[in-house]
Amino acid sequence: MNISNTPNASSTITGFILLGFPCSREGQILLFVLFSVVYLLTLMGNGSIICAVRWDQRLHTPMYILLANFSFLEIWYVTSTLPNMLANFLSDTKVISFSGCFLQFYFFFSLGSTECFLLAIMAFDRYLAICRPLHYPTIMTGRLCTNLVVSCWVFGFLWFLIPIIIISQMSFCGSRIIDHFLCDPGPLLALTCTRVPVIELTSSTLSSLLLFIPFFFIVVSYALVLRAVLRVPSAAGRRKAFSTCGSHLAVVSLFYGSVMVMYVSPTSEHEAGMQKVVTLFYSVVTPLINPIIYSLRNKDMKHAMKKLLRT
């Protein structure tokens, strides 16, 4: 990989400059404090769910095991961006090394891909529990649950591997400034010496497939769930069925709603400020509020949380 000021220059630069959120020094310190609090709350919230599932025997079911894995994923997802963002707030140069940039690129998109697959598996679990209640214990066994979770992580970390390797081998010319708080493919491809439409098309296609295949699976699963719930004769039964799905539907709506704004349409169509706000929402805000959503809307989780706090 070569980074130079002009296509023919021989000088090599060791990294990129992440602009982040440009403002005064006082503003940078304020943002540092704000996002430090957000990071700590995210770790505490998702960590509490993991501990609650681990220590409460009643939560040792596929639904909560998947939720614990989701919380574990969210911790690493926010960790792939926030620590570097916090360091940038206090940095004068705001430089990220080439290897650091592409490692962040890889882990951020791999963890995001894993989240898409895991959300689909969680929807499948709810479909089996509500539409196939008698067969649920024999279908969703501990072994199948483990295999599904492992598959999500494996496919997630392989999905963008080849495009990221190819982009990392390209030459970068002109400005090394990335007007973002993380290494995103759009700004990176804009800095390459020569445009490679095939790489841009491949990246866009993989992003679209990653979003729409799991999303279609989730929509179909919940359409079948809705049909089954509407056939339940009692209102109490319908409320109970909806309550087990409400939290997951809220999380899916928040995550997919913001991600699709970014990656379904070409990245170049979005203003840099809009890119930052939307990316900030699904990569930082969503992991922060997910534990709140699951804790408030689930009686078993609420009870386990209270029990955890008393210990």
Side-chain angles (χ1 to χ4, degrees), residues 42-173:
T42 302
L43 296 181
M44 290 170 59
N46 287 284
S48 297
I49 287 180
I50 295 172
C51 292
V53 173
R54 173 67 180 85
W55 291 336
D56 194 325
Q57 293 291 328
R58 296 179 306 171
L59 301 185
H60 290 185
T61 62
M63 173 182 171
Y64 293 107
I65 291 172
L66 290 172
L67 177 57
N69 275 275
F70 184 72
S71 293
F72 178 75
L73 170 65
E74 292 287 67
I75 288 174
W76 288 107
Y77 191 43
V78 74
T79 300
S80 68
T81 57
L82 260 184
N84 184 74
M85 189 197 304
L86 293 174
N88 268 11
F89 286 139
L90 302 180
S91 171
D92 293 325
T93 60
K94 303 189 182 299
V95 172
I96 183 171
S97 66
F98 170 77
S99 58
C101 182
F102 277 92
L103 278 174
Q104 184 188 65
F105 184 4
Y106 174 67
F107 280 105
F108 179 73
F109 276 86
S110 296
L111 291 164
S113 302
T114 304
E115 181 161 344
C116 290
F117 293 130
L118 193 54
L119 286 172
I121 296 303
M122 293 170 76
F124 175 64
D125 174 72
R126 291 300 83 207
Y127 158 75
L128 289 178
I130 294 174
C131 299
R132 299 287 185 270
L134 298 179
H135 300 93
Y136 178 73
T138 57
I139 296 175
M140 187 57 80
T141 60
R143 182 177 180 180
L144 177 61
C145 185
T146 301
N147 289 339
L148 290 173
V149 169
V150 171
S151 298
C152 288
W153 284 90
V154 171
F155 281 111
F157 274 75
L158 291 177
W159 194 262
F160 280 103
L161 180 59
I162 293 177
I164 290 174
I165 291 175
I166 293 174
I167 294 173
S168 69
Q169 302 303 311
M170 299 173 69
S171 296
F172 296 86
C173 302

Side-chain angles (χ1 to χ4, degrees), residues 236-255:
R238 287 195 295 270
R239 282 196 300 271
K240 183 178 180 181
F242 276 126
S243 68
T244 63
C245 301
S247 301
H248 185 250
L249 278 172
V251 171
V252 167
S253 301
L254 288 171
F255 180 76

